[in-house]
Amino acid sequence: MRLTRVLAAVAALSLLAAGCGGKQRDTPVNQPNAAPCEASEGRVTLATGNAGGVYYVLGGGLAQLISGNTKLKATAAETGASVQNIQQLVAGDYDIAFSLADTAADAVAGRDSFNGKPQKVQALTRIHLNYVHVVVRANAGINSIADMRGKRISTGSPRSGTEVIANRLLQAAGLNPDSDVQAQRLDLTKTVDGMKDGTIDGLVWVGGLPTAQITDLTTTLKDRAKFVDVTGLLSKLKQVNSVYDRASIPAATYRTPAEVPTLVIPNVLLVREDFPAGNACAITKLIYDKRADLEKVHPAAKDIDVHKATVIDPIPMHPGASKALESLR
């Protein structure tokens, strides 16, 4: 009996020692309260968008901020934008991705471009607003989306958020994107070149203000190009996704005769759900701590607002990002 008591005491002491000084269980990466708000050493890649677009410019600036202020080394890559970004983010080709909020919502739900397959992505934060630009050649006879029937229209890069919205605008106006227009699935550089030489009648572009290549286009063509008001289609677009809203492009942005009524969509920064919590927290906090530096990179960064950071329903927030935002409020 005495030996039994001794063995029991030894076992209890062994358990106590294991609990106090033994190997601890690894902390899951998505438990922000257990992980410090500090980036680990390593590399991250950012999926941005078309060269000349705001994603591309801001993405390069954010990569420099991350590399200069954390242990991470970040690089930014030109891409076709939202749909492609999310697909390649989930595939592991990129670590952080810019996306339109409506495309991200589609990804989470597994609808439209994502073919019934919900994507396991989460947001670091909402960022700037994207404005719908519909620009046509003045002699093309286009005064509305419905007038695009039979016309040569650039609907944006394949698998981009611009293409998603262009197709939704066409459908809302009663047109079939595959048969009722001569859809040109081109990136912004080729689109602007086509508008200048007359091989394209009109374009849809969704980007921040100002987009350098739209400035180039309107400066070059002057009164041979004009913006089209698409706000009459807002109610139909809201039936698809509630994130769409009404706004105006100020006249000074592209030196138009008056402000241009249009639609806006928020942007989000996305990561996979297994993105390390410490990295997510550190990068999210850095965006707000260094927002003034991002504004120097591109004025669209002025839209980045910590009080709107989580207004992204139904896209889930990454727990590490939530921790950073709580500390900033």
Side-chain angles (χ1 to χ4, degrees), residues 238-257:
K238 275 188 169 291
Q239 292 173 17
V240 179
N241 195 307
S242 61
V243 302
Y244 300 111
D245 206 352
R246 183 191 304 265
S248 294
I249 300 173
T253 305
Y254 300 115
R255 297 185 179 179
T256 51

Side-chain angles (χ1 to χ4, degrees), residues 211-234:
T211 295
Q213 289 175 322
I214 300 295
T215 301
D216 174 42
L217 174 64
T218 55
T219 301
T220 301
L221 292 186
K222 296 184 171 61
D223 59 359
R224 290 178 289 156
K226 66 179 182 180
F227 284 82
V228 174
D229 181 353
V230 296
T231 55
L233 300 174
L234 177 59

Side-chain angles (χ1 to χ4, degrees), residues 164-189:
V164 170
I165 293 173
N167 289 342
R168 286 178 177 172
L169 286 169
L170 291 166
Q171 290 163 349
L175 300 180
N176 185 326
D178 297 324
S179 59
D180 289 336
V181 299
Q182 298 180 49
Q184 313 293 304
R185 302 175 73 201
L186 300 172
D187 66 27
L188 189 55
T189 298

Side-chain angles (χ1 to χ4, degrees), residues 113-181:
S113 302
F114 300 94
N115 300 315
K117 298 177 181 178
Q119 305 296 298
K120 295 181 179 181
V121 296
Q122 298 177 338
L124 295 183
T125 183
R126 169 171 159 162
I127 44 177
H128 64 287
L129 289 174
N130 264 15
Y131 289 70
V132 176
H133 299 63
V134 178
V135 188
V136 300
R137 290 184 63 89
N139 62 359
I142 301 172
N143 296 303
S144 68
I145 297 293
D147 291 337
M148 290 182 171
R149 185 182 299 275
K151 304 296 185 180
R152 300 163 297 181
I153 304 299
S154 176
T155 54
S157 297
R159 297 190 297 157
S160 67
T162 289
E163 184 177 53
V164 170
I165 293 173
N167 289 342
R168 286 178 177 172
L169 286 169
L170 291 166
Q171 290 163 349
L175 300 180
N176 185 326
D178 297 324
S179 59
D180 289 336
V181 299

Side-chain angles (χ1 to χ4, degrees), residues 48-59 188 205-208 210-213 298:
T48 62
N50 288 182
V54 177
Y55 283 180
Y56 182 77
V57 178
L58 272 183
L188 189 55
W205 165 254
V206 185
T211 295
Q213 289 175 322
H298 197 286

Side-chain angles (χ1 to χ4, degrees), residues 22 35-36 40 49 63 194 200 208 214 239 242 275 308:
S40 59
I200 293 177
I214 300 295
Q239 292 173 17
S242 61
F275 192 71
K308 296 180 180 178

Side-chain angles (χ1 to χ4, degrees), residues 69-107:
N69 294 275
T70 75
K71 296 177 182 178
L72 292 166
K73 297 303 177 186
T75 55
E78 180 186 357
T79 69
S82 298
V83 177
Q84 176 190 342
N85 285 0
I86 293 172
Q87 290 171 338
Q88 293 191 281
L89 174 70
V90 172
D93 297 330
Y94 300 107
D95 302 296
I96 303 171
F98 284 72
S99 176
L100 284 161
D102 63 334
T103 305
D106 289 345

